[in-house]
Amino acid sequence: MSLRKSRVEMPAQDPKERVKNFKEVALGYTSEMAREEASRCLNCKNPLCKKGCPVEVDIPEFISALKEDDPARAAKILKNKNNLPAICGRVCPQENQCEMHCILGKKGEPVAIGRLERFVADWEREQVNLKPEKVETINKKVAIIGSGPAGLTAAADLAKLGYQVTIFEALHVPGGVLMYGIPEFRLPKEVVQQEINYIKKLGVDIQVNFVVGKTATIADLLEEGYDAVFIGTGAGLPNFMNLPGENLNGIYSANEFLTRTNLMKAYLFPQYATPIKIGKKVAVIGAGNVAMDAARTALRLGAEESYIVYRRSAEEMPARHEEVEHAREEGVQFLFLTSPVAYKGDEKGHVRAMTCQKFALGDPDESGRRKPVAIPGSEFDMEVDTVVVAIGQGPNPLVPRTTPGLILTKKGNIQADEETGATSLPNVFAGGDIVTGAATVILAMGAGKKAARAIHRYLQGIEK
Amino acid sequence: MYEILKNEVLGSNIYLFEVKAARIAAKAEAGQFVIIRLHETAERIPLTIADYSREKGTITIIFQAVGASTRELAEYEAGQKILDLVGPLGVPSEIENYGTVVCIGGGVGIAPIYPIARALKEAGNRVISIIGARSRDLLFWKEKMAAVSDELLIATDDGSEGRKGFVTDVLKDLLEKEKIERVWAIGPMVMMKAVANTTRPFAVKTIVSLNPIMVDGTGMCGACRVAVGKETKFACVDGPEFDGHEVDFDLAMKRLAIFKDEEQRILAKGQCGGGCGCH
Ligand SMILES: Cc1cc2nc3c(=O)[nH]c(=O)nc-3n(C[C@H](O)[C@H](O)[C@H](O)COP(=O)(O)OP(=O)(O)OC[C@H]3O[C@@H](n4cnc5c(N)ncnc54)[C@H](O)[C@@H]3O)c2cc1C
Ligand SMILES: Cc1cc2nc3c(=O)[nH]c(=O)nc-3n(C[C@H](O)[C@H](O)[C@H](O)COP(=O)(O)OP(=O)(O)OC[C@H]3O[C@@H](n4cnc5c(N)ncnc54)[C@H](O)[C@@H]3O)c2cc1C
Ligand code: SF4
Ligand code: SF4
Ligand code: FES
Ligand SMILES: [Mg+2]
């Protein structure tokens, strides 16, 4: 059989059309495409791909089942390890995870593991809707704080072991960034909620509208009878640059801009009551995934022009290549080696222009990227009426502030063991962005998985 | 779901709701607020916890029906349920025995000042309260305020009750007359600004409770940012109470107006039933 060197392309909505709607951009494989792509997998004896998957998906096994045209078995294998496969299949940075290690990548393109994962998960959700197997219950209670990918994974794995698990979530829906941050057109909220429903079917109780540190503290929860706690509160504190005029109207944090749009569905205003104001010319500060999402969202909300404004050059952009490509195709423009130094507003206090400075690339800094150096006298004004600041998020201090004895890092993240999530408190574990700083869905899930295992050992009295 | 136990009209367009929310009532302190979302397509709006009963497991909110969401809320009756209610949010008021303090509530701001006045009174302060509104039909909770105050003074713009004039007129007289240790003021932004301006020459520390636009109320979005001194603060987690002499009120007022057009639009939709096809 002659192997194709390149992977099967996944169909996508035409860029001209998709910038006018919030429907999913990538359309997913058909069964034929999935089988063809699956047939590329060598079913390696020593599958390198598996090393790259933090939740230990049995990759060759599920792909083999697909090859044999048995998507039901593929789904079972997949869901055994991955509680959120339809999500991972869409937003996992596969190129840096499993696919980076795939042997085929040495000579040609690696197997499109993520796309296959998405296919199987979507098939399962639409066709069979697997019911979880019954497990023997263990009479111990675990509290999970935060329902992002870290918390959901820890909760699901513990429920599968038989624990009684309650998730406490501050917002009115579970999902964390999957619901409020990542846009509908990359990750439909219906898909997220269906995967969360599966986790509920495992027996996990989800209490929304519950802010730990306010509604109750960790000490309160322990007193109420929880035997262990997992903190997965994410990196939800938006950074600003503290520039003159940064509080003018029309300047949003990426979190506000995306939360209004995704979580509150402001793109359906006034059918949904949460407003958002979008101007004609939008500048998004930063060039990570969050910035790409904001710039693409701006176009869909009706902006005429949407710019990524970035201090460094194209090469240093932290966003996934695919996201940058999608943004370009949709008409997002890029202004490199440029950064705002001040904002100017009108008499009503709405932003009208942004004074920018130009930069040149100097010597590499501690991150290994060349450091941007300001060019004196290069200031210029750029007219804008909407700005989205997407320069990163820090850890939310609500839980740390109200949990005496919890040791933090210098940046305010929770200090936790990389392998177990163990914190400075004996029965408290942590993982995901609150520990690592803003990272990825799959790393948060990996941390949740490890912590679940460690909590199990701890509660069985084996070790911490 | 959170059941409404009581819906009472307190004055023109002012409503009091008692809502079953045991967990929130158990933790609530003066100065804190909740965020509610009425139903699936509703927005999240913050409202102060005007009172709470730990025994009954209830909280009281008082609001003025000013726009689409608050008018919609006003239609809810006892027995109906609110979809989402989260709290208690924000930092509680700093309650200590300061000596003589003044608590000022303007308009619907009388509701949030009440638990603060009560806590200050319980802490041993001599509490002088000033409540004010445009006219008497907007005043409420006179007896409740009197019960937690050593002295209760009233001002209305039109003179229909108490002194004709502003709460700041009453305050100024007090400041000239006796030594005041601290002032709390809650009401419209313009009123709080005026109070801060009144106390400034007397160098009396003045706490105001800011009500910027909020979304999550947990420090995640930054919509609620306000300038205090040289710093930007998130009112939902750093406040809502701040030193009134440090607050940039003009900025705060402009920020409150950002969605004026949209608010008009959704209000219009509610009024014509949306069948007109014009929006
Ligand atoms: C716009 C955007 C796009 C992204 N795109 C991608 C992508 O394409 N691929 C990718 O891999 N990663 C992406 N990321 C990063 C990824 O989403 C995060 O790394 C991941 O969600 C972290 O998971 P978490 O479980 O640690 O926290 P989060 O997802 O942040 O969830 C934390 C949850 O805890 C809740 N919480 C916080 N404090 C409390 C409290 N005190 N009490 C109760 N609940 C609380 C929050 O409300 C939230 O629901 C993106 C991030 C953003 C913002
Ligand atoms: C901490 C805090 C406590 C509050 N406590 C009370 C209270 O006890 N009683 C009371 O009557 N009001 C209170 N408010 C104000 C109340 O939230 C607004 O009146 C309400 O959101 C208006 O919604 P609407 O849709 O009816 O009116 P809209 O027409 O949408 O808005 C009217 C005005 O209210 C403000 N507003 C709009 N949306 C929000 C929002 N999401 N968050 C904050 N303000 C907004 C804007 O200035 C707007 O112009 C409080 C606000 C804050 C921040
Ligand atoms: S979860 Fe991510 S890393 Fe693991 S197999 Fe799926 S795409 Fe690869
Ligand atoms: S390394 Fe690549 S070819 Fe080998 S099993 Fe994994 S996906 Fe298949
Ligand atoms: S309301 Fe979002 S940070 Fe305060
Ligand atoms: Mg409103």
Side-chain angles (χ1 to χ4, degrees), chain A residues 10 18 24-26 87-96 118 181-183 185-187 287-297 299-300 308 317-334:
Chain A
M10 180 160 57
R18 73 188 191 225
E24 199 171 6
V25 167
I87 293 166
C88 289
R90 286 172 166 80
V91 301
C92 198
Q94 297 105 12
E95 65 279 12
N96 298 323
R118 168 179 169 164
I182 304 180
F185 57 81
R186 282 213 292 128
L187 180 62
N289 287 323
V290 181
M292 297 306 143
D293 282 344
R296 298 171 70 193
T297 297
L299 290 174
R300 283 165 175 78
I308 289 282
M317 284 199 286
R320 288 177 70 189
H321 179 72
E322 187 187 329
E323 299 308 322
V324 175
E325 272 320 297
H326 277 147
R328 252 191 241 282
E329 285 166 16
E330 289 168 11
V332 170
Q333 301 175 65
F334 292 78

Side-chain angles (χ1 to χ4, degrees), chain A residues 160-325:
Chain A
K160 283 177 175 170
L161 288 167
Y163 290 97
Q164 289 156 55
V165 184
T166 307
I167 299 183
F168 297 97
E169 166 57 49
L171 291 171
H172 57 261
V173 288
V177 172
L178 307 173
M179 286 305 286
Y180 77 71
I182 304 180
E184 175 78 16
F185 57 81
R186 282 213 292 128
L187 180 62
K189 301 310 145 211
E190 186 57 34
V191 171
V192 179
Q193 286 313 310
Q194 290 196 23
E195 298 228 298
I196 292 175
N197 278 340
Y198 179 79
I199 291 177
K200 285 186 190 159
K201 280 191 212 146
L202 292 170
V204 173
D205 174 34
I206 305 184
Q207 302 266 327
V208 293
N209 297 318
F210 197 113
V211 185
V212 175
K214 291 285 171 193
T215 316
T217 61
I218 287 186
D220 294 334
L221 294 176
L222 290 169
E223 201 163 298
E224 282 173 29
Y226 287 93
D227 299 286
V229 176
F230 173 79
I231 309 173
T233 47
L237 188 75
N239 294 335
F240 284 93
M241 295 167 79
N242 295 317
L243 301 178
E246 208 173 21
N247 293 331
L248 286 165
N249 285 338
I251 304 183
Y252 304 89
S253 75
N255 275 1
E256 180 185 356
F257 190 71
L258 293 170
T259 298
R260 284 184 181 278
T261 315
N262 297 318
L263 182 72
M264 305 310 297
K265 297 202 163 42
Y267 63 95
L268 297 174
F269 183 88
Q271 187 197 333
Y272 279 73
T274 303
I276 194 160
K277 223 184 185 61
I278 188 84
K280 292 201 169 87
K281 193 167 170 184
V282 180
V284 177
I285 316 302
N289 287 323
V290 181
M292 297 306 143
D293 282 344
R296 298 171 70 193
T297 297
L299 290 174
R300 283 165 175 78
L301 288 170
E304 286 167 14
E305 294 171 75
S306 176
Y307 288 84
I308 289 282
V309 178
Y310 184 44
R311 211 152 66 96
R312 305 183 195 239
S313 74
E315 271 139 57
E316 288 85 21
M317 284 199 286
R320 288 177 70 189
H321 179 72
E322 187 187 329
E323 299 308 322
V324 175
E325 272 320 297

Side-chain angles (χ1 to χ4, degrees), chain A residues 172 209-210 214-215 220 224 236-238 246-247 249 251 253 255-256 260 269-270 272-274 277 347 396, chain B residues 23 27 37 41 43-44 84-85 87-88 90 218-221 223 225 232 254-255 258-259 262 266 269:
Chain A
H172 57 261
N209 297 318
F210 197 113
K214 291 285 171 193
T215 316
D220 294 334
E224 282 173 29
L237 188 75
E246 208 173 21
N247 293 331
N249 285 338
I251 304 183
S253 75
N255 275 1
E256 180 185 356
R260 284 184 181 278
F269 183 88
Y272 279 73
T274 303
K277 223 184 185 61
E347 68 290 344
N396 189 308
Chain B
R23 282 216 88 118
K27 283 273 172 179
R37 192 178 73 128
T41 63
E43 64 180 336
R44 294 170 64 97
D84 297 300
L85 176 66
T218 65
M220 181 270 276
C221 76
R225 60 197 197 274
T232 292
K254 283 178 183 160
R255 283 187 66 80
I258 177 173
F259 296 118
E262 289 75 13
I266 194 163
K269 168 180 168 254

Side-chain angles (χ1 to χ4, degrees), chain A residues 260 275, chain B residues 33-34 43-50 61-71 108 111-112 209-215 240 255-260 263-264 266-267:
Chain A
R260 284 184 181 278
Chain B
F33 64 96
V34 292
E43 64 180 336
R44 294 170 64 97
I45 61 165
L47 295 169
T48 307
I49 302 170
I61 49 178
I62 293 183
F63 63 93
Q64 192 162 19
V66 290
S69 300
T70 44
R71 286 191 199 186
V108 76
S209 178
L210 298 183
N211 55 351
I213 289 179
M214 293 187 177
V215 184
R255 283 187 66 80
L256 268 181
I258 177 173
F259 296 118
K260 276 274 181 270
E263 284 153 7
Q264 283 311 310
I266 194 163
L267 203 53

Side-chain angles (χ1 to χ4, degrees), chain A residues 47-64:
Chain A
L48 297 175
C49 52
K50 254 177 150 169
K51 289 204 180 79
C53 177
V55 294
E56 305 154 15
V57 166
D58 296 310
I59 298 169
E61 289 83 350
F62 99 78
I63 296 183
S64 292

